[in-house]
Amino acid sequence: MLILAIESSCDETSAAVIDGTTKIVKSNIVSSQLFHSQYGGVIPELASRAHVEAISYVVEKALANAECSLESIDAFAVTTQPGLPGALLVGANFAKGLAVKTGKPVFPINHIEAHLYSGFLESQDIEFPFVGFVVSGGHTSLFLVESFANYTVLGSTRDDAAGEAFDKIASMLGFPYPGGIYIDKLSVTGDPEAFSFPIATVGEFQFSFSGLKTSVRNFLSKTFTQEIPENIKPDICASVQNAITEQLLKGLKQAVYAYKPKTIVISGGVSANTSLRAKAELLGIQTSIPVVIPKGEYCIDNAAMIGLLASYRYTSTSPSSIKFSVKSSSLRSPRK
Ligand code: KG4
Ligand code: ZN
């Protein structure tokens, strides 16, 4: 069964073709809306317009790279929630149009659930139950996952998502949006213990990054009356990264020790972070539990993960799901 999947929940327009039986990703095209960096965050209205401009080309390119025709597609899958409502509508309506044209079903997929199961793009040998950790610009949530249909949310962030904290602090340091990757890169030559930033004490499986953000802002305004010297930035970045990843690791450890899962799966844009990956891999060695983190292109928002989850959830004989609604959610709000 060939699935054409579409993702447009935030600032990436993506389409992918996946073989629903073998789970082989035949193509995965991502068009990122880089222009938002000049505004320091995603502007919802501009994001919707850019999706409209990109979506036809992105879908055509996904079909071309997969060397298949629209007629050979057996089903469509599309992100319907959570996300920016206008952005979601572009992908959902495009997928519905294709479904109407071809007479094939279209399956609605939840974006966070797609991140949660995206580890299966890396390895099909992931054993249930697994502790899933979705860390991105919009989400920081821990899950206990029993199957493709059943999971429990163990805890989430009380305020900012981890990626949001990276991006907001990066902006204070003068890096363009989204700045997580700049903090990661500069941290390589910095000392993670140079400055001591707070790691919030919150309930089990919970996270909070607003105190850290305030602490860094106060530190910068008190310490540097003018420009922040370039030679100090690596130490600041490494110390900030250490505070964020230590808190993430703390929550992850609590879940792993409490539920003793068969696998640990980390996904979402922040799972590309070098320090988080190293700390998670060490935890895997210490506990003898395999750790699966998708490769970079499947950490960020992508349509392959949408198609993959559809392939596990639906079959070619599933009834058509053309009548679905698009919902926005408090889990993902516009970032500024
Ligand atoms: O999953 P994603 O592409 O979009 C959302 O669903 O939000 O995640 C984007 C987030 C951004 O906040 C970005 O700064 C962060 O992932 N990010 C990183 C790294 N690469 C991306 N944060 C820290 N270190 C990185 N290497
Ligand atoms: Zn995402």
Side-chain angles (χ1 to χ4, degrees):
M1 175 165 92
L2 276 185
I3 299 175
L4 172 63
I6 294 176
E7 151 67 35
S8 68
S9 64
C10 192
D11 54 351
E12 260 93 28
T13 318
S14 179
V17 176
I18 182 164
D19 182 324
T21 314
T22 61
K23 314 300 180 200
I24 290 172
V25 178
K26 296 170 84 69
S27 64
N28 182 46
I29 307 297
V30 181
S31 164
S32 296
Q33 302 175 1
L34 303 176
F35 64 84
H36 291 292
S37 65
Q38 66 190 293
Y39 307 109
V42 177
I43 309 293
E45 171 66 17
L46 297 183
S48 310
R49 286 167 188 263
H51 284 304
V52 171
E53 280 168 19
I55 195 152
S56 308
Y57 173 75
V58 167
V59 168
E60 275 168 24
K61 184 106 176 100
L63 287 168
N65 283 19
E67 296 181 350
C68 62
S69 64
L70 183 60
E71 291 66 38
S72 65
I73 296 296
D74 298 297
F76 301 94
V78 65
T79 309
T80 51
Q81 60 168 318
L84 304 172
L88 285 167
L89 279 169
V90 176
N93 282 335
F94 201 89
K96 278 190 183 183
L98 293 176
V100 168
K101 177 179 160 68
T102 57
K104 303 288 170 57
V106 55
F107 302 124
I109 293 291
N110 177 298
H111 180 86
I112 303 173
E113 292 180 358
H115 271 306
L116 183 58
Y117 293 100
S118 63
F120 286 87
L121 289 167
E122 189 67 29
S123 161
Q124 286 183 43
D125 300 327
I126 292 173
E127 277 192 78
F128 294 103
F130 68 81
V131 161
F133 197 14
V134 179
V135 270
S136 71
H139 340 285
T140 300
S141 302
L142 274 167
F143 301 82
L144 181 65
V145 187
E146 306 281 351
S147 70
F148 285 106
N150 292 310
Y151 64 83
T152 313
V153 182
L154 300 176
S156 294
T157 180
R158 291 186 171 180
D159 38 61
D160 292 350
E164 212 174 342
F166 266 114
D167 294 342
K168 284 178 176 164
I169 294 171
S171 154
M172 294 176 205
L173 294 169
F175 299 121
Y177 171 87
I181 190 151
Y182 297 96
I183 293 193
D184 192 353
K185 283 190 175 151
L186 243 69
S187 295
V188 174
T189 53
D191 174 5
E193 318 235 305
F195 304 103
S196 170
F197 295 121
I199 297 171
T201 306
V202 275
E204 218 179 16
F205 318 134
Q206 307 275 315
F207 306 89
S208 167
F209 297 101
S210 64
L212 169 67
K213 205 174 56 187
T214 309
S215 160
V216 176
R217 183 175 289 121
N218 290 343
F219 163 79
L220 293 177
S221 62
K222 277 187 199 144
T223 317
F224 308 106
T225 43
Q226 308 210 321
E227 297 262 292
I228 306 165
E230 290 301 318
N231 63 335
I232 301 179
K233 282 189 182 175
D235 281 348
I236 301 174
C237 286
S239 303
V240 165
Q241 178 168 276
N242 187 46
I244 295 175
T245 56
E246 276 302 310
Q247 191 183 153
L248 293 174
L249 186 76
K250 191 167 88 172
L252 179 62
K253 270 186 176 168
Q254 288 169 348
V256 169
Y257 289 128
Y259 292 98
K260 302 186 175 43
K262 296 251 173 58
T263 322
I264 299 166
V265 182
I266 309 178
S267 51
V270 178
S271 64
N273 183 264
T274 318
S275 161
L276 179 61
R277 288 178 100 99
K279 286 175 181 176
E281 272 154 25
L282 188 61
L283 176 64
I285 293 166
Q286 287 163 345
T287 56
S288 303
I289 299 173
V291 176
V292 176
I293 308 174
K295 65 175 173 178
E297 81 172 294
Y298 301 139
C299 285
I300 60 163
D301 288 351
N302 67 91
M305 66 180 188
I306 306 300
L308 181 87
L309 185 54
S311 79
Y312 281 114
R313 289 253 174 99
Y314 305 103
T315 65
S316 51
T317 54
S318 299
S320 168
S321 309
I322 279 184
K323 291 195 185 87
F324 58 78
S325 59
V326 173
K327 294 179 192 161
S328 62
S329 160
S330 58
L331 274 170
R332 185 156 195 179
S333 52
R335 283 174 267 140
K336 279 204 180 167

